[in-house]
Structure formats: structure tokens, C-alpha cells
Amino acid sequence: MPTSGPITKQGSIKRQGSKRRASCLGGGQPQTPKEVPWDLFDRLLVPLVSCHGAAIVLSTLLNVLRISQVSTFALFIWFALSTTGAVMFYHLLKVSASGKGVLVTGCESPLVWHLARHLDDMGFTVFAGFTQLADSEEASILKDESSGRMKVLQLDPTSETQMLETSLFISENLPDGARGLWAVIHCATWVALGEFEWIPFNVLRKAIDVNLLGTARLTQIMLPLVRRANGRLIFLSSALARIPSPVRGVQCATQAGIEGLATCLREELRPRGVDVSVVAAGEYVAGTSWLNDKLLMEQASQMWARLSDEQRRVYGKEYFEHAIRSLEKYTKVTADFTPAIRSLVDATIRTFPLARYTPVTRAEKIQTIIAQHLPKSVYDAIYHK
């Protein structure tokens, strides 16, 4: 866990054997609501709305021409059943994992560690990138408990040298018969927490370097390998890309940048046969496996000490502590990574992946819709009381 910044979290924690791993995926009792299959909902929404419109038009036309007295409802049911069946067939098509290589970055975090392990179990050749590979207990366990296909790599998202070395290593260690790399899954992250004025510039720069610039440069380097395989790029983002969140403004900005980059890449790479997906996960980073009370307050103290006398006078210690303690609620729940991992896996194995997956709770989905589609005054009235 970095200590150079005021309030940071990188997801690197000590693992306590199988008990620790079980608590992250299905072994504990998650306190989050049951997952909603938003990906299927997103696939079906537009077709079903179109079915309703088509039923109205066709029913009206048949009745006006006196060809048939069929009702709009009957036509809608017929169209909806046919469309749902076709969409489900389309949705469930998968590629074979055998003979495909996948690069996963940020494997020191619990979520990504389990993702790499799951992809290995499925039969992919996984290249697992760790920001600090030397003496990494997570890397050792991952290597020991996975198949011989698992390759652990030193990959700092701010080091172009390591990115180039990774590209060369992958080129030389692709599965037999593979034309290129099937997928790059960008999961490395470094989050700076605190109001924007409080965050030192070196911390702001590192957050942008890791979350945005490093991701963009690694994409550039890996694209020739991915393009050869007609593969895909997958970006782990956050619902915060579309939800304004004070004290987490830097994270909101970098996640929005990633989603903007992915949107443009999707248009540029479609003619090249490369798919681009974003997995905008919910507050999985809020669990006790990512942040704890002691670390939060220690780093808050460091940040307060770096403020100028004028800044301390303007904001005041009481306001500062209130803002920091607003994050404490994220240390009180058990993280459930299952929805985010399922979406990342789906984006990897589906023949026709979605452009954007949203493994979030109902409350987060509603908040995102309100933030995007309703007037700002409505959002403020509901969420900024």
C-alpha cells in the first residue's frame, strides 16, 4: 500500500491462504444486494421497445387495410418471444479458451487476482501482471495454485520499458498456434482520495499516470498483438465515471477518461475486428479488503499536515475530518467481487461482448440513470441533501 500520497489505495494486501481467498468470492456472506443481470437487461431493452413499436405500427396497418383484426398486444407478445429467443442465443455464444492468451494487469488486487485464477481455470493462457512482483506473496500463491499456463510478470503501469518487455515476452510465449493475444484486461489502478485542493500534485500526477496514461500506452504497445488475433480490449472502470462524487474527484476524472478512450477505440478498431468493452463496476472497492479505518486516518493525517496554513483556516479541521470520515462507510461492508468478475469474464469469452457492462447494485444503477438523463437540479435534490 503506497504511503507517498495522502489517501491512497492500490489493492495490495497480505493474503491469509485459502481462507482469505474464499472470503472474497463466495466464501463469506456479502452484505451487498443480490446481483442484477444488467448485461442481459441492456441487450433486451432496445429490442423489446422496438417490438412494441413494430406491434403498434403493424396492428394499425392490418386493421386499417382490413387484412386482420389482430391486437397490438398479441403482436407484441409474438415479436417479444421471437426477439428474446434470438437475443438470448446471440448473448450466450462463447469462444473457446483453448489456445488463447490473455494479459491481465493489476493482479495484486484481490478482485484481479481471482479474475486471473478464474481465467486460468477456464483454459486461457494468462499473463498476470504485478506492479511489484519481487517478494509478492500474491504472485507466488497464484503461480503455485494455477496451471502451468499461468505466467506472472513484472508490469508497472508507469514503466514503458516494462511494457515493451512484457510485449516481447508475450510474443515469445503465446500458446501454440495462436496468431496473437486474445485480450488485454486493464485492471491496474491507483486511487487518490480527498478534495481536489488537498491532493498534492505528485499524487495527482501518479493517479493520472497509472489510471489513464499507463493504460493508454500499454494499449498502444499491445494493439498489434491483439489485432493479429482479432481479439479485444477490456477496461475495468467504475460507476464513478458517470456519478459525481466529492472527495473522489480524481478517480471520477480518470475513470471518465478511460471510458472516453474506450468509446473512441471502439469506433477506430471495429473495422479491424477488435472488440472494446468497459466494465463499470460498482462500489466493490469499498470492502474491508481494500480500505481500513487505521490506514484511512493515518493517510488523512499526512494530507492535513501538507496543507498550507491558509487552506487549514479556510476548510477547518472539523470539515476536513467530516469529509474524510464520509469514506468510513466503505470500510464497514464485506466486498463481493463476484458481479465484477463475472462481467470481466463475459467480456472475455462472449462472441459478441457488450460495449459496457455495469455490475452495480440497483441503487447505483438508478443513481447513474438520474445523473445522466435528468436535470442536474433533480440529481442534487435527491443526492445532495
Side-chain angles (χ1 to χ4, degrees):
M1 187 77 68
T3 56
S4 58
I7 302 183
T8 60
K9 58 186 178 184
Q10 193 170 350
S12 180
I13 61 174
K14 285 289 185 180
R15 249 176 232 292
Q16 303 298 325
S18 60
K19 181 179 179 181
R20 172 75 191 102
R21 291 188 294 280
S23 68
C24 287
L25 281 181
Q29 296 296 325
Q31 301 302 311
T32 52
K34 186 177 179 180
E35 178 191 6
V36 178
W38 296 117
D39 52 342
L40 186 56
F41 174 81
D42 291 338
R43 279 203 196 273
L44 287 171
L45 179 61
V46 173
L48 289 179
V49 171
S50 300
C51 285
H52 185 257
I56 293 174
V57 172
L58 184 58
S59 175
T60 302
L61 184 61
L62 291 174
N63 280 276
V64 168
L65 297 177
R66 298 186 178 180
I67 296 173
S68 172
Q69 296 301 311
V70 64
S71 69
T72 299
F73 179 73
L75 283 174
F76 171 71
I77 293 298
W78 188 82
F79 286 156
L81 290 175
S82 302
T83 302
T84 300
V87 170
M88 289 297 294
F89 174 79
Y90 177 86
H91 175 70
L92 296 175
L93 290 175
K94 298 179 182 180
V95 301
S96 170
S98 178
K100 289 183 172 62
V102 177
L103 171 63
V104 185
T105 68
C107 290
E108 59 275 355
S109 81
L111 182 152
V112 190
W113 189 97
H114 281 83
L115 171 65
R117 176 70 186 278
H118 187 66
L119 291 172
D120 176 75
D121 290 341
M122 295 179 68
F124 286 100
T125 296
V126 179
F127 300 93
F130 285 82
T131 304
Q132 293 292 337
L133 182 59
D135 302 320
S136 171
E137 183 182 353
E138 291 95 343
S140 298
I141 295 173
L142 183 62
K143 183 69 174 176
D144 292 342
E145 297 189 0
S146 301
S147 73
R149 296 183 303 274
M150 177 67 69
K151 311 285 194 286
V152 295
L153 309 170
Q154 168 63 43
L155 180 54
D156 185 336
T158 63
S159 171
E160 183 165 356
T161 300
Q162 291 183 18
M163 295 182 197
L164 293 170
E165 291 173 347
T166 297
S167 177
L168 180 61
F169 179 85
I170 291 175
S171 298
E172 295 173 347
N173 291 273
L174 287 170
D176 293 339
R179 292 183 300 168
L181 185 65
W182 174 248
V184 177
I185 307 177
H186 292 285
C187 298
T189 184
W190 197 84
V191 181
L193 301 175
E195 289 201 10
F196 188 76
E197 187 178 356
W198 306 343
I199 300 175
F201 183 69
N202 65 310
V203 177
L204 174 62
R205 172 178 285 169
K206 181 168 183 178
I208 295 173
D209 283 347
V210 173
N211 300 341
L212 186 56
L213 295 181
T215 297
R217 182 56 182 145
L218 183 61
T219 298
Q220 288 182 321
I221 291 172
M222 293 298 170
L223 254 178
L225 282 172
V226 175
R227 197 173 57 248
R228 262 185 262 159
N230 294 122
R232 53 198 55 182
L233 302 171
I234 302 166
F235 298 87
L236 177 61
S237 177
S238 168
L240 294 176
R242 301 186 179 184
I243 297 177
S245 181
V247 192
R248 291 184 289 178
V250 175
Q251 186 183 7
C252 293
T254 56
Q255 298 308 296
I258 285 294
E259 295 210 8
L261 173 65
T263 300
C264 295
L265 277 172
R266 189 175 303 115
E267 298 300 317
E268 294 174 358
L269 296 175
R270 183 179 289 117
R272 314 283 178 247
V274 175
D275 290 308
V276 180
S277 295
V278 169
V279 177
E283 294 291 359
Y284 65 86
V285 296
T288 54
S289 56
W290 288 80
L291 195 63
N292 60 67
D293 291 327
K294 181 180 179 182
L295 182 63
L296 181 66
M297 299 317 297
E298 283 178 356
Q299 294 183 343
S301 297
Q302 295 175 21
M303 183 161 56
W304 176 257
R306 294 187 182 192
L307 296 181
S308 67
D309 291 340
E310 191 270 342
Q311 288 172 321
R312 294 181 193 174
R313 184 173 63 256
V314 169
Y315 286 100
K317 190 67 175 288
E318 182 178 350
Y319 177 84
F320 178 86
E321 290 185 352
H322 176 76
I324 297 302
R325 291 196 177 279
S326 69
L327 301 172
E328 284 187 319
K329 61 184 178 182
Y330 301 121
T331 71
K332 307 299 184 184
V333 297
T334 302
D336 180 14
F337 300 152
T338 309
I341 289 179
R342 187 188 65 80
S343 294
L344 288 164
V345 170
D346 273 15
T348 306
I349 67 172
R350 298 296 182 195
T351 303
F352 305 102
L354 286 173
R356 192 170 192 268
Y357 292 82
T358 53
V360 297
T361 63
R362 292 179 182 85
E364 289 168 334
K365 187 72 170 182
I366 292 171
Q367 186 174 2
T368 302
I369 292 172
I370 293 174
Q372 285 186 267
H373 302 293
L374 294 184
K376 183 66 167 58
S377 58
V378 175
Y379 181 89
D380 289 342
I382 296 173
Y383 293 104
H384 292 165
K385 296 178 179 179

